[in-house]
Amino acid sequence: MSDEIKQLPKLWTGDHYNEGIGRDDIFDKLREECGVFGVFGIPDACSLGYYGLHALQHRGEESAGMAAVDSATGKFTHYRNMGLVKEVFDQQKLDGLPGDRVIGHVRYSTAGESKLANAQPLIFKYRDGDLAVATNGNIVNAPSIRKELESQGSIFQTSSDTEVIAHLIARSSKDFVSAAKDALQRLIGGFAFLLMTNDKLVVASDPNGLRPLVMGRLAGGYVFASETCALETCGAEYERDVQPGEMLVLDRDGLRLDRFDKLERRATCAMEYIYFARPDSDINGINLHSARKRMGQRLALEAFIDADIVTGVPDSSISAAIGYAEQTGIPYELGLIKNKYTGRTFIQPSQELREKGVKMKLSAVRKVVEGKRVVMIDDSIVRGTTSLRIVNLLREAGATEVHVCITSPPFKNPCYYGIDTPDRKELIASTRTVEEIRTTINADSLHFLSHDGFIEAVGGNDGEFNRGMCLACFDNDYPTPVDPTSEKSCSC
């Protein structure tokens, strides 16, 4: 294990963690870090950036930002603020970002503080001009690199792990591309980077491809995004995935391909397939709606339940619920409805008001579930509090039985690569048996999709698909070195 990994500090402890999951959302669902979007060589790039970021809004609802460059003049502009994309940007703000090159970002913070200084893209002035940095993911060894740089005189502006790459680049005596390559080689973790200067754009994916990143073409230029749905939204044609360890350099001479590291082991995050990415996106050529339907179908084969209706927890479990219903022949019904307009301001400290908040955000359809034996499909169980609340909603609405089926194996281990997860001791599946979890969430039965069943469902007919996923949250097999004594590392 490297010295950098051994020195990882314990940042996710005590009240600090409470700023993460559950800080402002009554449900303890997993959170993706963020989404990135880039445009190169297309006029009015910021307009494309607006639509691309809007398509990626589900990956981060805390802040949004864009940096733009006009290649004709080299002028560099930027704007970022707290809030949703539609709240941060209006036409006046977009008009203030002229150019044919843009990188953009939507953010959800975990251990990093929720403040404007941490909103991305991060912007820096250095010897060669302007530098903007946007990333999706987490740098596991950022704390040790930061400590090293601070001992050498670096002054950090943010608490974001993303800032370390800017300091590594700025301290190098090499040209920008070479400095960026050296900096990327220092990083351990899961990340998708967009780095932009006054005359260049560098795009890079970590050596394991943990975080998704795709490239598209439009009007003679290039578009980069965390998900293919963003390409569809702005009218770009999907070209290919950015490969693990790959570094793309775009400037006035066009696009050239390079590598900063060899492919160690392709390990795209399993939770992208289960939960994070939009169902209309494709990852590694696999459509997520179809994959989630297959998860539901496979779960039906592994855990058939004699019931009256099947319902899915909105929104990520709807596809799987349809698959389960199709496989079993049990009718699929909208037994649960999500109110998408409640926001977060209703969360109050008292338990009574918190429970009312649950019903404001998610409702059981009484006329659908009353007197029925219900199979409730969900994507995962984190602490168990969400599942308990939803099971109780269905019971209060008159369901006679509630059977819970989860389209993933038990979530037992924390993620170090950019997903907001609790410490291991707070993950209910790490300390309790399936029967104990069933009792805790007040379900009549509880079934998880098997490890092999999940792999086969995602890969479809590709029997070798296991080569392409990180399943560490289920099986503790991390694709990079991590420090098991560290609760969690800092996030972007």
Side-chain angles (χ1 to χ4, degrees):
M1 185 176 292
S2 70
D3 289 338
E4 288 177 347
I5 294 296
K6 290 178 182 177
Q7 296 169 8
L8 286 177
K10 296 183 180 180
L11 295 181
W12 282 61
T13 56
D15 292 339
H16 196 180
Y17 167 70
N18 291 332
E19 295 177 0
I21 290 180
R23 177 185 64 226
D24 53 10
D25 193 337
I26 202 160
F27 294 113
D28 66 332
K29 303 300 288 183
L30 299 172
R31 294 283 190 165
E32 173 61 80
E33 282 264 345
C34 43
V36 295
F37 189 84
V39 179
F40 186 90
I42 303 175
D44 194 20
C46 68
S47 292
L48 283 179
Y50 176 87
Y51 288 108
L53 292 179
H54 194 273
L56 298 173
Q57 188 73 85
H58 59 288
R59 300 183 74 89
E61 301 180 356
E62 190 166 272
S63 65
M66 283 192 280
V69 171
D70 187 336
S71 62
T73 64
K75 183 180 180 181
F76 183 101
T77 53
H78 61 90
Y79 184 77
R80 57 199 178 127
N81 212 332
M82 308 302 289
L84 303 176
V85 174
K86 65 180 181 181
E87 298 168 342
V88 172
F89 293 103
D90 55 23
Q91 191 60 53
Q92 181 180 5
K93 295 294 190 307
L94 294 176
D95 290 342
L97 298 169
D100 56 357
R101 303 172 185 178
V102 153
I103 65 171
H105 189 271
V106 289
R107 179 175 190 262
Y108 170 76
S109 72
T110 53
E113 293 177 273
S114 173
K115 61 181 183 180
L116 182 57
N118 286 337
Q120 296 189 30
L122 299 181
I123 309 297
F124 306 92
K125 290 282 188 181
Y126 79 123
R127 65 178 183 278
D128 293 334
D130 300 288
L131 171 63
V133 181
T135 185
N136 169 30
N138 192 64
I139 302 169
V140 175
N141 63 333
S144 62
I145 296 177
R146 180 173 180 138
K147 183 178 180 180
E148 170 195 323
L149 293 172
E150 288 176 331
S151 70
Q152 297 171 359
S154 291
I155 299 174
F156 282 74
Q157 304 174 26
T158 75
S159 60
S160 166
D161 68 343
T162 303
E163 190 176 352
V164 298
I165 194 171
H167 286 265
L168 290 171
I169 291 171
R171 294 178 67 88
S172 174
S173 60
K174 298 181 180 180
D175 64 88
F176 169 69
V177 173
S178 297
K181 189 173 185 177
D182 288 347
L184 289 164
Q185 290 172 347
R186 287 285 312 274
L187 307 183
I188 298 172
F191 50 80
F193 268 109
L194 300 181
L195 309 168
M196 187 173 70
T197 66
N198 302 79
D199 61 355
K200 287 182 173 60
L201 173 64
V202 169
V203 181
S205 174
D206 71 80
N208 299 101
L210 280 152
R211 304 263 64 86
L213 186 61
V214 297
M215 179 175 74
R217 296 296 304 271
L218 177 65
Y222 297 89
V223 179
F224 301 91
S226 292
E227 291 184 34
T228 59
C229 66
L231 302 182
E232 293 280 350
T233 297
C234 66
E237 182 178 354
Y238 168 80
E239 183 85 0
R240 67 179 180 87
D241 288 14
V242 178
Q243 296 302 303
E246 189 173 37
M247 187 173 86
L248 311 181
V249 181
L250 300 96
D251 56 22
R252 65 182 60 188
D253 296 324
L255 167 68
R256 64 182 184 274
L257 309 181
D258 198 355
R259 297 195 67 84
F260 68 90
D261 206 345
K262 65 181 182 298
L263 170 61
E264 294 288 349
R265 161 190 159 193
R266 180 181 289 278
T268 303
C269 173
M271 292 307 297
E272 294 285 354
Y273 295 97
I274 296 167
Y275 175 64
F276 291 124
R278 271 179 32 173
D280 54 334
S281 286
D282 298 340
I283 294 180
N284 294 327
I286 296 172
N287 173 256
L288 297 183
H289 167 69
S290 299
R292 289 168 187 169
K293 275 190 67 176
R294 290 194 297 269
M295 292 178 208
Q297 291 166 346
R298 178 58 184 256
L299 191 54
L301 294 174
E302 294 183 0
F304 173 80
I305 296 164
D306 186 13
D308 300 309
I309 63 170
V310 176
T311 192
V313 178
D315 293 313
S316 60
S317 302
I318 299 300
S319 300
I322 292 172
Y324 189 98
E326 287 183 357
Q327 184 66 40
T328 61
I330 301 171
Y332 166 76
E333 294 284 356
L334 285 174
L336 293 164
I337 300 294
K338 182 179 179 181
N339 182 354
K340 299 180 180 180
Y341 304 101
T342 57
R344 297 173 175 176
T345 58
F346 65 86
I347 303 301
Q348 300 292 334
S350 75
Q351 182 63 25
E352 180 182 358
L353 290 179
R354 284 178 62 85
E355 294 304 326
K356 290 184 184 298
V358 174
K359 294 181 180 180
M360 287 179 63
K361 197 159 189 177
L362 193 67
S363 302
V365 185
R366 180 173 294 275
K367 294 299 183 182
V368 170
V369 305
E370 191 171 27
K372 302 290 177 57
R373 299 168 297 168
V374 178
V375 176
M376 184 190 92
I377 307 294
D378 204 357
D379 49 69
S380 59
I381 295 180
V382 184
R383 291 191 183 91
T385 54
T386 293
S387 298
L388 173 62
R389 288 169 178 151
I390 299 174
V391 168
N392 286 342
L393 279 178
L394 292 168
R395 292 196 186 282
E396 290 168 9
T400 58
E401 296 177 11
V402 180
H403 302 270
V404 177
C405 290
I406 305 299
T407 58
S408 65
F411 201 112
K412 297 181 178 182
N413 310 295
C415 176
Y416 296 86
Y417 306 120
I419 295 175
D420 184 5
T421 55
D423 302 329
R424 181 176 278 105
K425 63 180 179 292
E426 296 184 66
L427 294 166
I428 191 170
S430 70
T431 59
R432 302 187 191 184
T433 65
V434 172
E435 177 58 23
E436 288 171 338
I437 298 172
R438 181 200 68 77
T439 301
T440 300
I441 66 173
N442 194 28
D444 289 284
S445 68
L446 171 63
H447 306 274
F448 290 91
L449 185 59
S450 68
H451 188 278
D452 290 344
F454 169 69
I455 293 170
E456 292 178 14
V458 173
N461 295 324
D462 185 354
E464 299 180 357
F465 187 76
N466 190 31
R467 69 181 185 273
M469 281 195 292
C470 172
L471 302 164
C473 51
F474 310 130
D475 61 15
N476 206 35
D477 181 16
Y478 294 96
T480 74
V482 296
D483 182 359
T485 67
S486 175
E487 296 294 341
K488 290 294 289 291
S489 64
C490 183
S491 59
C492 76

